Amino acid sequence: MPLSTGQPTNVVVVSNSSDNPFAIDIAYAMGQHDDIADLISMKQFMNSEFCPRFISDEADFDNIGRKLKGKSVIIVSTGSHVKSRQELAMTNLIIARAAKENGAERVILVEPDLFYSAQDRGPHQGLGETSFERDVNDVKKFDGQPFTAKLYAQLLKLSGVDTVMTIHNHSDSVQKMFADVFEGDFHNLIPYEIYGHYLLNSDILHYGEDGEGLVLCAPDKGARDFVQEMFNRLGLSKAKFIMLDKERTAERNVEVTLHKESEHTFDGLDGASIILFDDMVRTGSTVVKACKFLQQINPQRMVFAVSHFYASDEGRERMAHPAIGEILTLNTLPTILNRDEQGRLRKKMVVLKVEKWLAQELCTILDFPQSQEENPYKIDMSSKNPRFKRKIWYSEELHELKQQQSNK
């Protein structure tokens, strides 16, 4: 059911790729039932240059260049196997300029996995604000490279983007810089309530009523604040919180230990259910090493929760390791919903679909009337997953399933 209370007249939702199901779901949740393809033409010239056109009445000669006057245009941008991130980024810029030059009052970019965030600082101390003191080795890592995250932010602003919305961006430097470029109109949404509701209402983890036997784990100091907030929001007084430390001894060699500042040690944790949180996974080497390290607790369950899952084939092969019992992720990269993409990880993958959550946040930002939904996410789990009992799509169905299982 749409979140909005009626068909929006001043909001237009489009995407930077044709027939993007993620964008279509956001549009529908906001009450836009017109196909995106009927709102914008993704025209490309014979020389391969992109020239979009917001579709208007061909007989209307009185409102030329004013088709979008007073409207807010939302550009939904996600990764794709068809186009590179470079192509998609350029497409964002051109669509934003088309919107502004045709009268749009506000242009909002919704990019769940913010492009170029890995290149979050440059080869000088002044290029990027970090939460740590940059030493010569950190600066050297970026020697000869551009500060691409800042360039992308500046280009978006120049093209006409007024607001940027993303999910769980990992970089302090990127967050500070985007907030500065967009004068505070940058929204980094952290999915605390999404994770929290699923963890409390599903059977992905086994623990007592007050959290007995549950351990939340941060893989490093950088993730501590996020995991600490997750710990607080779960409200389980007898759960434990540990933090690991990782030292990169070579390009692909990481040593994992218990951090000296960890709130709890391993004492008394034998047989616990552990959930390891992180914002993203690429190669999977560090998370597998962390899960192997945690095996000394002899955990009953080991779950890895990650917001952005864009592991390579090599990474997926690594994460098939039995040290990881299950993977909980979001569909910030919608291709993860493809069973072929999941490969044999489909046996341990649960994807929480967040389009409706994003639509709700957009309605709030736009002060758009909506019917609030307390747990606005959907659940996608393969029948290959051992926990699969029946198809569960909506979060409110979880409690019913949990009750059925506890009564057996």
Side-chain angles (χ1 to χ4, degrees), residues 338-376:
N338 186 314
R339 296 291 185 241
D340 293 331
E341 281 291 302
Q342 293 180 6
R344 60 180 172 148
L345 287 186
R346 73 184 68 178
K347 295 185 293 185
K348 57 173 71 177
M349 188 80 73
V350 180
V351 183
L352 306 182
K353 299 173 87 266
V354 294
E355 295 97 322
K356 192 174 284 189
W357 178 56
L358 284 173
Q360 192 160 281
E361 295 294 329
L362 284 164
C363 287
T364 300
I365 288 173
L366 291 164
D367 195 25
F368 193 73
Q370 58 177 302
S371 54
Q372 284 286 338
E373 190 168 323
E374 191 174 354
N375 306 299

Side-chain angles (χ1 to χ4, degrees), residues 251-272:
E251 181 65 26
R252 291 203 170 193
N253 190 24
V254 175
E255 295 299 325
V256 176
T257 59
L258 184 67
H259 201 289
K260 62 183 179 181
E261 297 177 20
S262 178
E263 186 169 325
H264 295 98
T265 65
F266 284 180
D267 292 343
L269 301 185
D270 188 65

Side-chain angles (χ1 to χ4, degrees), residues 127-144:
L127 295 176
E129 298 181 49
T130 60
S131 57
F132 56 88
E133 188 70 32
R134 296 185 71 189
D135 58 20
V136 66
N137 291 322
D138 183 76
V139 176
K140 178 62 180 175
K141 277 195 270 184
F142 295 87
D143 188 22

Side-chain angles (χ1 to χ4, degrees), residues 273-290:
S273 286
I274 304 175
I275 180 161
L276 175 73
F277 285 97
D278 212 347
D279 56 350
M280 70 174 69
V281 60
R282 288 195 178 98
T283 67
S285 57
T286 302
V287 66
V288 171
K289 280 211 168 185

